[in-house]
Amino acid sequence: KLLEPLPNGRDAASISMGAKQLLDYLRGRGYCKGFEVSDITVVDGSQLRFSAFVLDPVNLDATVSLMRGNDDFVPRYDQRILQAFFAD
């Protein structure tokens, strides 16, 4: 479980903090060795856009363990990440 609750997500800064907190949670469980989160941009005044990248390939064993665990957390994958992972 997360040590601290996620921010409310009322603005771009809190969304960025929340994304980094989730990725740090995954990093701590061996899902990846590091990550980067892009700056958040506002699109059409109501949508936020950002990208998150892991610095090392996703650890499949850690992912399986996470998904089979009873933490009620199932990661969602960006198709580009899966394509890059399985291309290697």
Side-chain angles (χ1 to χ4, degrees), residues 40-61:
I40 295 181
T41 57
V42 179
V43 180
D44 297 331
S46 62
Q47 297 179 358
L48 298 175
R49 181 172 293 159
F50 69 97
S51 296
F53 302 95
V54 293
L55 298 178
D56 278 343
V58 174
N59 181 325
L60 188 58
D61 293 331

Side-chain angles (χ1 to χ4, degrees), residues 31 52-53 58 75-87:
Y31 179 76
F53 302 95
V58 174
R76 303 280 185 233
Y77 298 104
D78 186 298
Q79 183 176 352
R80 293 173 294 166
I81 294 172
L82 287 175
Q83 288 172 341
F85 177 73
F86 288 113

Side-chain angles (χ1 to χ4, degrees), residues 11-77:
D11 56 21
S14 61
I15 296 288
S16 179
M17 286 175 36
K20 290 174 183 174
Q21 185 177 348
L22 287 172
L23 287 165
D24 193 50
Y25 170 84
L26 291 173
R27 183 198 51 76
R29 278 146 189 81
Y31 179 76
C32 62
K33 289 188 179 178
F35 59 87
E36 292 181 13
V37 177
S38 71
D39 291 334
I40 295 181
T41 57
V42 179
V43 180
D44 297 331
S46 62
Q47 297 179 358
L48 298 175
R49 181 172 293 159
F50 69 97
S51 296
F53 302 95
V54 293
L55 298 178
D56 278 343
V58 174
N59 181 325
L60 188 58
D61 293 331
T63 303
V64 169
S65 176
L66 243 165
M67 293 176 75
R68 290 184 178 164
N70 197 11
D71 294 336
D72 297 325
F73 180 81
V74 180
R76 303 280 185 233
Y77 298 104

